[in-house]
Amino acid sequence: MQDLDYVAPPMSWAAIAQRADWLREQLGLTNEPFCPVIDVLEKVLDHKLGFVHLEVGDPREMGSAEGYTCPKGTFIRLRLDVYEGACANDGRARFTVAHELGHLFLHKDAPLARTNPSEAVPAYRRSEPQANQFAAELLMPRRFMKAGDSIATVTGRHGVSDAAAKHRIDNLFNRRTK
């Protein structure tokens, strides 16, 4: 996740949810509220399937970049502290891993054009909001979310940060337009 963003092929949030649900189904996680993203990335997609290579990057080299997904989909690089945090089930780090998986499953080999975040490009055409939506769908699938869920309930059930839980609740239940 970076300050840079890219114009990506348009994708509805419903289509992104379908991709996240498909991945959960392939992994046998359809009925599991908690998605073990590091196991998915490292043990399944890298070691077992050889689908993508996981690299752990030096914080000095990566700077503020918490993760990076190769546009060709050959590797995902996580900053060391993010990798360690995700291994320890830190909610924010887990979201970063899910976000990078979003880039892999939404943007691999997709035509992308660099854009400035201040440009008036709708969220459904920008790679970063799309990857964030994939992460939310992967970590907090709609089928487990209930009106009236508290932040603490969502955080405990899905292993996400308070901020991610609040954002998900707000997006699903507290906005007039969805």
Side-chain angles (χ1 to χ4, degrees):
M1 298 189 306
Q2 302 177 14
D3 290 338
L4 290 176
D5 204 350
Y6 295 86
V7 176
M11 188 170 293
S12 71
W13 283 179
I16 292 170
Q18 287 176 338
R19 290 217 186 162
D21 286 345
W22 173 87
L23 178 58
R24 280 178 145 272
E25 183 180 319
Q26 299 307 304
L27 297 166
L29 297 171
T30 302
N31 297 316
E32 299 296 326
F34 183 86
C35 180
V37 290
I38 280 293
D39 288 349
V40 167
L41 175 54
E42 187 169 28
K43 294 179 181 174
V44 177
L45 297 177
D46 185 354
H47 296 158
K48 185 175 182 182
L49 300 176
F51 182 72
V52 65
H53 177 68
L54 170 63
E55 297 178 0
V56 178
D58 185 310
R60 292 172 301 211
E61 293 173 9
M62 292 189 70
S64 65
E66 296 176 10
Y68 173 77
T69 300
C70 172
K72 296 279 185 209
T74 56
F75 68 89
I76 290 176
R77 182 176 300 129
L78 299 174
R79 200 173 60 203
L80 176 62
D81 59 308
V82 172
Y83 173 78
E84 290 173 341
C87 288
N89 287 324
D90 172 75
R92 188 175 189 305
R94 285 174 31 76
F95 195 91
T96 299
V97 174
H99 173 98
E100 295 306 325
L101 288 170
H103 284 306
L104 179 68
F105 285 97
L106 300 175
H107 305 130
K108 178 180 176 184
D109 292 325
L112 300 174
R114 190 175 281 184
T115 185
N116 184 316
S118 66
E119 287 182 51
V121 178
Y124 68 87
R125 294 276 337 261
R126 294 183 8 236
S127 65
E128 292 302 304
Q130 288 178 357
N132 283 338
Q133 186 66 25
F134 183 92
E137 296 287 353
L138 184 67
L139 294 175
M140 299 168 280
R142 292 167 192 254
R143 73 183 146 284
F144 293 109
M145 301 295 294
K146 311 224 178 339
D149 274 349
S150 69
I151 291 171
T153 298
V154 174
T155 300
R157 184 173 56 223
H158 299 289
V160 296
S161 68
D162 287 353
K166 181 182 183 327
H167 193 263
R168 186 70 167 152
I169 290 167
D170 287 347
N171 279 330
L172 290 177
F173 304 113
N174 297 336
R175 289 203 175 151
R176 295 215 187 277
T177 58
K178 291 185 181 90

